[in-house]
Short mmCIF file of all heavy atoms in Angstrom, two decimals:
data_model
loop_
_atom_site.label_atom_id
_atom_site.label_comp_id
_atom_site.label_asym_id
_atom_site.label_seq_id
_atom_site.Cartn_x
_atom_site.Cartn_y
_atom_site.Cartn_z
N MET A 1 -39.47 158.92 -10.94
CA MET A 1 -38.89 157.62 -10.30
C MET A 1 -37.65 157.33 -10.76
O MET A 1 -37.30 157.30 -12.08
CB MET A 1 -39.73 156.48 -10.44
CG MET A 1 -39.29 155.16 -9.92
SD MET A 1 -40.31 153.98 -10.17
CE MET A 1 -39.77 152.76 -9.04
N ARG A 4 -32.44 152.50 -10.04
CA ARG A 4 -31.05 152.22 -9.65
C ARG A 4 -30.59 151.19 -10.57
O ARG A 4 -31.17 150.28 -11.03
CB ARG A 4 -31.18 151.64 -8.15
CG ARG A 4 -31.61 152.61 -7.20
CD ARG A 4 -31.61 152.00 -5.77
NE ARG A 4 -32.09 153.05 -4.80
CZ ARG A 4 -32.11 152.80 -3.57
NH1 ARG A 4 -31.55 151.59 -2.97
NH2 ARG A 4 -32.45 153.67 -2.74
N ALA A 8 -23.74 144.41 -11.12
CA ALA A 8 -23.18 143.46 -12.18
C ALA A 8 -23.11 142.11 -11.60
O ALA A 8 -22.95 141.79 -10.40
CB ALA A 8 -21.83 143.90 -12.55
N GLN A 16 -11.46 135.42 -20.70
CA GLN A 16 -10.18 134.99 -20.32
C GLN A 16 -10.31 133.82 -19.28
O GLN A 16 -11.50 133.54 -18.87
CB GLN A 16 -9.32 136.03 -19.69
CG GLN A 16 -9.87 136.70 -18.51
CD GLN A 16 -10.74 137.95 -18.87
OE1 GLN A 16 -11.40 138.03 -19.81
NE2 GLN A 16 -10.76 138.80 -17.90
N TRP A 19 -10.38 130.63 -12.35
CA TRP A 19 -10.10 129.44 -11.68
C TRP A 19 -11.13 129.32 -10.60
O TRP A 19 -11.79 130.19 -10.01
CB TRP A 19 -8.78 129.78 -10.86
CG TRP A 19 -7.61 129.53 -11.76
CD1 TRP A 19 -6.78 128.58 -11.99
CD2 TRP A 19 -7.11 130.67 -12.76
NE1 TRP A 19 -5.89 128.82 -13.01
CE2 TRP A 19 -6.04 130.07 -13.38
CE3 TRP A 19 -7.54 131.88 -13.12
CZ2 TRP A 19 -5.29 130.78 -14.27
CZ3 TRP A 19 -6.73 132.58 -13.99
CH2 TRP A 19 -5.73 131.94 -14.64
N VAL A 21 -11.39 128.07 -6.99
CA VAL A 21 -10.33 128.09 -6.04
C VAL A 21 -11.12 127.64 -4.68
O VAL A 21 -12.11 128.24 -4.34
CB VAL A 21 -9.71 129.39 -5.89
CG1 VAL A 21 -8.51 129.22 -4.80
CG2 VAL A 21 -9.19 129.80 -7.23
N MET A 25 -9.49 129.44 5.89
CA MET A 25 -9.94 130.63 6.54
C MET A 25 -8.96 131.79 6.52
O MET A 25 -9.37 132.93 6.95
CB MET A 25 -10.50 130.37 7.89
CG MET A 25 -11.83 129.60 7.95
SD MET A 25 -13.00 130.32 6.77
CE MET A 25 -13.27 131.95 7.56
N LEU A 30 -6.17 126.14 -1.19
CA LEU A 30 -5.96 124.61 -0.83
C LEU A 30 -6.02 123.88 -2.10
O LEU A 30 -5.24 122.83 -2.10
CB LEU A 30 -7.18 124.24 0.10
CG LEU A 30 -7.25 124.94 1.39
CD1 LEU A 30 -8.35 124.45 2.19
CD2 LEU A 30 -5.97 124.68 2.21
N ALA A 39 -16.52 130.02 -19.94
CA ALA A 39 -17.12 128.93 -19.25
C ALA A 39 -18.41 129.52 -18.45
O ALA A 39 -18.39 130.67 -18.19
CB ALA A 39 -16.11 128.27 -18.20
N ILE A 44 -20.80 126.16 -12.97
CA ILE A 44 -19.64 125.49 -12.41
C ILE A 44 -19.69 125.62 -10.87
O ILE A 44 -19.47 124.60 -10.15
CB ILE A 44 -18.37 126.00 -12.99
CG1 ILE A 44 -18.27 125.46 -14.43
CG2 ILE A 44 -17.09 125.60 -12.10
CD1 ILE A 44 -17.13 126.21 -15.24
N LEU A 45 -19.89 126.78 -10.34
CA LEU A 45 -19.91 127.08 -8.94
C LEU A 45 -21.11 126.39 -8.28
O LEU A 45 -21.00 125.83 -7.29
CB LEU A 45 -20.01 128.53 -8.61
CG LEU A 45 -19.75 129.01 -7.18
CD1 LEU A 45 -18.35 128.49 -6.80
CD2 LEU A 45 -19.86 130.40 -7.03
N HIS A 47 -22.61 123.54 -9.41
CA HIS A 47 -22.26 122.12 -9.50
C HIS A 47 -21.34 121.82 -8.26
O HIS A 47 -21.39 120.82 -7.55
CB HIS A 47 -21.61 121.75 -10.69
CG HIS A 47 -21.18 120.32 -10.85
ND1 HIS A 47 -21.96 119.28 -10.95
CD2 HIS A 47 -19.95 119.75 -10.77
CE1 HIS A 47 -21.41 118.13 -10.83
NE2 HIS A 47 -20.11 118.40 -10.70
N GLU A 51 -21.82 119.16 -5.20
CA GLU A 51 -20.91 118.16 -4.85
C GLU A 51 -20.46 118.31 -3.35
O GLU A 51 -20.42 117.20 -2.78
CB GLU A 51 -19.57 118.27 -5.70
CG GLU A 51 -19.91 117.95 -7.22
CD GLU A 51 -20.15 116.55 -7.48
OE1 GLU A 51 -19.32 115.60 -6.92
OE2 GLU A 51 -20.93 116.21 -8.21
N ARG A 52 -20.24 119.40 -2.86
CA ARG A 52 -19.88 119.65 -1.50
C ARG A 52 -21.02 119.08 -0.60
O ARG A 52 -20.85 118.59 0.57
CB ARG A 52 -19.46 121.03 -1.28
CG ARG A 52 -18.33 121.52 -1.98
CD ARG A 52 -17.01 121.13 -1.28
NE ARG A 52 -15.82 121.54 -2.12
CZ ARG A 52 -14.58 121.30 -1.86
NH1 ARG A 52 -14.22 120.77 -0.73
NH2 ARG A 52 -13.65 121.64 -2.70
N ALA A 54 -23.33 117.04 -1.23
CA ALA A 54 -23.41 115.46 -1.33
C ALA A 54 -22.34 114.86 -0.55
O ALA A 54 -22.52 113.80 0.03
CB ALA A 54 -23.26 115.03 -2.78
N ILE A 62 -25.48 130.55 -2.81
CA ILE A 62 -24.65 131.45 -3.78
C ILE A 62 -25.52 132.62 -3.89
O ILE A 62 -26.59 132.56 -4.53
CB ILE A 62 -24.25 130.73 -4.92
CG1 ILE A 62 -23.46 129.49 -4.69
CG2 ILE A 62 -23.53 131.71 -5.81
CD1 ILE A 62 -23.22 128.63 -5.87
N ARG A 64 -26.96 136.28 -5.41
CA ARG A 64 -27.05 136.87 -6.81
C ARG A 64 -25.89 137.53 -7.36
O ARG A 64 -25.63 137.52 -8.59
CB ARG A 64 -28.33 137.71 -6.90
CG ARG A 64 -29.42 137.42 -7.84
CD ARG A 64 -30.66 138.17 -7.75
NE ARG A 64 -30.63 139.38 -6.93
CZ ARG A 64 -30.74 140.63 -7.29
NH1 ARG A 64 -30.62 140.87 -8.62
NH2 ARG A 64 -30.66 141.54 -6.47
N PHE A 70 -19.43 129.74 1.30
CA PHE A 70 -18.74 129.11 2.46
C PHE A 70 -19.25 127.78 2.74
O PHE A 70 -20.40 127.54 2.52
CB PHE A 70 -18.81 129.95 3.70
CG PHE A 70 -17.95 131.35 3.65
CD1 PHE A 70 -18.69 132.48 3.45
CD2 PHE A 70 -16.59 131.30 3.83
CE1 PHE A 70 -17.92 133.63 3.31
CE2 PHE A 70 -15.80 132.51 3.62
CZ PHE A 70 -16.55 133.69 3.45
N VAL A 76 -14.27 122.42 10.02
CA VAL A 76 -13.39 123.07 9.11
C VAL A 76 -14.19 123.90 8.21
O VAL A 76 -15.23 123.54 7.63
CB VAL A 76 -12.69 122.02 8.12
CG1 VAL A 76 -11.85 122.62 7.16
CG2 VAL A 76 -11.77 121.05 9.11
N ARG A 77 -13.83 125.24 8.01
CA ARG A 77 -14.53 126.17 7.28
C ARG A 77 -13.71 126.52 5.97
O ARG A 77 -12.56 126.91 6.17
CB ARG A 77 -14.99 127.39 7.97
CG ARG A 77 -15.96 128.24 7.16
CD ARG A 77 -16.43 129.39 8.10
NE ARG A 77 -17.62 130.12 7.51
CZ ARG A 77 -17.67 131.56 7.45
NH1 ARG A 77 -16.61 132.10 7.93
NH2 ARG A 77 -18.68 132.05 6.90
N ILE A 78 -14.30 126.42 4.85
CA ILE A 78 -13.59 126.83 3.62
C ILE A 78 -14.45 127.85 2.80
O ILE A 78 -15.64 128.01 3.00
CB ILE A 78 -13.25 125.55 2.67
CG1 ILE A 78 -14.57 124.92 2.41
CG2 ILE A 78 -12.39 124.71 3.37
CD1 ILE A 78 -14.36 123.76 1.33
N GLN A 79 -13.71 128.50 1.86
CA GLN A 79 -14.41 129.29 0.89
C GLN A 79 -14.26 128.71 -0.50
O GLN A 79 -13.00 128.51 -0.96
CB GLN A 79 -14.02 130.87 1.02
CG GLN A 79 -14.52 131.76 0.08
CD GLN A 79 -13.87 133.04 -0.03
OE1 GLN A 79 -12.77 133.24 0.35
NE2 GLN A 79 -14.79 134.04 -0.37
N GLY A 81 -14.77 129.66 -4.51
CA GLY A 81 -15.22 130.60 -5.40
C GLY A 81 -14.48 130.68 -6.65
O GLY A 81 -13.61 129.81 -6.94
N TYR A 85 -7.35 135.26 -11.09
CA TYR A 85 -5.99 135.12 -11.18
C TYR A 85 -5.64 133.73 -10.64
O TYR A 85 -6.07 133.22 -9.80
CB TYR A 85 -5.15 136.24 -10.38
CG TYR A 85 -5.56 137.59 -10.83
CD1 TYR A 85 -6.55 138.34 -10.25
CD2 TYR A 85 -4.81 138.15 -12.02
CE1 TYR A 85 -6.84 139.61 -10.69
CE2 TYR A 85 -5.24 139.38 -12.49
CZ TYR A 85 -6.15 140.20 -11.77
OH TYR A 85 -6.55 141.36 -12.42
N PRO A 87 -4.06 131.18 -8.63
CA PRO A 87 -3.59 131.06 -7.30
C PRO A 87 -2.02 130.78 -7.25
O PRO A 87 -1.31 131.17 -6.29
CB PRO A 87 -4.30 130.09 -6.62
CG PRO A 87 -5.58 129.90 -7.47
CD PRO A 87 -5.15 130.26 -8.87
N GLY A 89 0.08 131.82 -9.39
CA GLY A 89 0.91 132.91 -10.13
C GLY A 89 1.24 134.12 -9.31
O GLY A 89 0.92 134.02 -8.10
N PRO A 92 -2.98 139.58 -8.70
CA PRO A 92 -3.40 140.79 -9.46
C PRO A 92 -2.49 141.83 -9.34
O PRO A 92 -1.67 141.90 -8.33
CB PRO A 92 -4.69 141.16 -8.75
CG PRO A 92 -4.61 140.59 -7.40
CD PRO A 92 -3.78 139.33 -7.43
N GLY A 94 -0.78 145.38 -8.50
CA GLY A 94 -1.05 146.18 -7.29
C GLY A 94 -1.03 147.70 -7.67
O GLY A 94 -0.77 148.05 -8.85
N ASP A 97 2.22 148.90 -9.27
CA ASP A 97 2.74 148.34 -10.55
C ASP A 97 2.61 149.19 -11.60
O ASP A 97 1.56 149.90 -11.82
CB ASP A 97 2.07 146.93 -10.82
CG ASP A 97 2.32 145.83 -9.71
OD1 ASP A 97 3.30 145.93 -8.99
OD2 ASP A 97 1.51 144.89 -9.56
#
Side-chain angles (χ1 to χ4, degrees):
M1 177 179 193
R4 293 184 185 183
Q16 62 268 32
W19 285 261
V21 185
M25 287 311 299
L30 301 173
I44 291 169
L45 192 60
H47 176 74
E51 291 287 317
R52 298 275 173 179
I62 301 169
R64 233 175 9 110
F70 289 103
V76 175
R77 187 170 191 232
I78 58 172
Q79 180 187 28
Y85 298 94
D97 293 339

